[in-house]
Amino acid sequence: MNQRNIIKTILSRIALFVVMLWIVSLVIFFALRILPGDVAAIIAGTNSSVERYRSIRTQLGLDRPLIEQYGSWLWDIVRGNLGTSVITGQAMGERLTVRAAVTFPLIIMSMIITLAMGIPTAVWSVTSQHAWVRTSLRVMSQILGAIPALWAGLLLVMIFGKGSGFIGILPTQGFPAQPLSSVSTFLTACASLILPAVSVGIITAAQVMRYTRSALLDGENANHIAWSMTAGMTYAQAVRTTGLRLALPQIISVAGVTFASMITGVLTVETLFNIPGIATILLSDMSERDLPAVQTELLLLAAFFLLVGLVIDMLQRLIDPRLRAQQAHTNQ
């Protein structure tokens, strides 16, 4: 795949990303307008006059046509202006930065747990010499993958929650306001994220384990493992080296989708563990019908999903020569 084809592929993927994000913005904006409730009525109060209510609607631009409101919002986003919460008056960029500093470390910690558990367990489920071990790991992955993150979190609180669990060693509520102010505060912040991260990580690890195991078995069926064994490797060595290397594109794809989908689980456990992340602000803005804030928050979450997909697609084409050859043939 020459440089011209690489540039063409990158530009086409970026263009697709932009188009998809624009479509998502349309869906978010007009879907929120269907919801009941009026932010102007909330701000004005129950005892306000009709004149005050109309004045607030004019001030917020809610009396303009929907297409005009959408165009104004989208133009502000393009210029980097994320808007302002009409309830609190706080800039959305500032609000989201503070909350993302909690949510994204939680997502990263969950992903580390996922990969640290999922991939070694998948290799073990293939290479173990004991049938009962292989069967037990498969059954365990099915059970863990079916548990909702909320239930997993509650179970972990009952076991490890400080003050309420059987082994009360980890905090279950809250997060330091300034986690980087000192070493002790930073350690407290890390401890506050352990149970939420494990709640999400063990579920997604089960998914990664199943997909990785399937990819390793596909490599075995294609005789790649046997060829490596003829070169002097043991079966376990062949799986850990040749098998994992050939399965890497699939593992990256699954890890990428899992990383993006972790937002759903993370938003759930943030509420359970009372962590001031994006979930808290999103639920609060939804309940108060702060539509300008909600639509910006949802658009940024959607952009994150699409960006992860874009990065994964490009990584797969970078490491998988079959995809590069296919793309080169398509461009001819």
Side-chain angles (χ1 to χ4, degrees), residues 117-130 132-134 137 140 209 213 216 239-240:
M117 293 179 59
I119 295 178
T121 305
V123 174
W124 189 20
S125 69
V126 173
T127 60
S128 176
Q129 298 179 357
H130 304 286
W132 67 269
V133 173
R134 299 193 297 270
L137 291 175
M140 182 183 66
M209 181 264 183
R213 179 181 178 276
L216 292 175
V239 170
R240 287 193 295 265

Side-chain angles (χ1 to χ4, degrees), residues 52 73 144 146 241 284 298:
R52 172 167 170 75
W73 170 61
L144 292 179
T241 54
S284 174
L298 291 178

Side-chain angles (χ1 to χ4, degrees), residues 1-12:
M1 194 172 181
N2 57 38
Q3 184 176 4
R4 182 180 178 180
N5 288 335
I6 293 175
I7 295 175
K8 185 177 180 179
T9 301
I10 293 175
L11 292 178
S12 66

Side-chain angles (χ1 to χ4, degrees), residues 47-66:
N47 298 322
S48 64
S49 63
V50 176
E51 290 75 14
R52 172 167 170 75
Y53 168 73
R54 291 176 177 174
S55 174
I56 293 175
R57 282 185 59 85
T58 302
Q59 181 182 354
L60 298 177
L62 299 178
D63 57 343
R64 295 183 297 168
L66 287 180

